[in-house]
Amino acid sequence: MTSERLGQALVEEATKKSGLIWVRGAGAPAARALWHVWHEGAACVVGDGPGEQPLPGLTDGGTAEVTVRSKDKGGRLVSWTARVVELPSGSEQWEAAVGELKGKRLNAPDGEAMPARWARECRVVRLEPTGATAPLPDGSLAEAPLPTPVTTREPIPAGLPRLLFRKKRGRS
């Protein structure tokens, strides 16, 4: 019971403090970085409209895997499973989530008209934690770069330091 509460607290605090979360929806090929806001126990995101972030694989009633990084070091803190809930445009929950989201949206092209555009053209989605957290992986999960002939490293030419560091003579 205590470990479950600690897991929930870690998910909430880490997600609140992180500017981006990495989300992989069901059927999506890879995780995608999304800006969000933590509101009433869930991460809320807006997207799938012109000029907004895409939300691939986030379908109402589905699940998603959310990975939260450390804001200062950038390392992975926690991965958790979320239930995806799409908020109906104009509902009380939608209005509350949009009120929080509009304060976090940077460089919006339409300013105060943004919520109306979101109602017409976008989706607002809540990612509600299910309580399941995934163990951190042993390795870095980084992929090796593809081999290419243009990345070979050769020694610098012998005369280059003389060209770069020679003293310039003043004109007389």
Side-chain angles (χ1 to χ4, degrees):
M1 184 73 164
T2 304
S3 115
E4 186 177 310
R5 284 186 183 169
L6 286 175
Q8 289 172 351
L10 175 62
V11 165
E12 182 173 346
E13 284 302 311
T15 308
K16 274 183 190 178
K17 292 183 179 187
S18 181
L20 290 175
I21 53 177
W22 293 86
V23 180
R24 182 171 183 222
R32 184 166 195 95
L34 300 176
W35 68 272
H36 70 288
V37 66
W38 186 266
H39 179 66
E40 294 181 359
C44 296
V45 296
V46 63
D48 279 352
E52 299 297 339
Q53 59 193 353
L55 305 175
L58 298 182
T59 56
D60 192 28
T63 60
E65 180 184 328
V66 180
T67 302
V68 182
R69 66 181 179 88
S70 166
K71 191 170 185 174
D72 57 346
K73 301 286 186 187
R76 179 191 332 248
L77 287 178
V78 65
S79 292
W80 48 278
T81 305
R83 185 177 67 236
V84 179
V85 178
E86 186 171 342
L87 302 177
S89 175
S91 69
E92 192 173 310
Q93 275 191 318
W94 186 92
E95 293 289 341
V98 165
E100 295 291 321
L101 284 163
K102 76 177 183 179
K104 295 285 186 176
R105 174 65 163 93
L106 300 176
N107 303 322
D110 48 0
E112 291 301 316
M114 185 173 42
R117 179 175 55 86
W118 286 351
R120 287 189 318 272
E121 302 170 354
C122 298
R123 295 186 314 135
V124 176
V125 175
R126 281 178 54 89
L127 301 172
E128 300 174 347
T130 61
T133 57
L136 293 176
D138 291 333
S140 71
L141 301 180
E143 293 187 29
L146 297 174
T148 176
V150 297
T151 59
T152 58
R153 173 102 177 155
E154 296 181 10
I156 62 170
L160 186 61
R162 281 185 303 210
L163 290 172
L164 293 175
F165 301 114
R166 70 179 174 193
K167 293 182 181 179
K168 296 186 181 184
R169 295 183 185 171
R171 295 186 185 189
S172 345

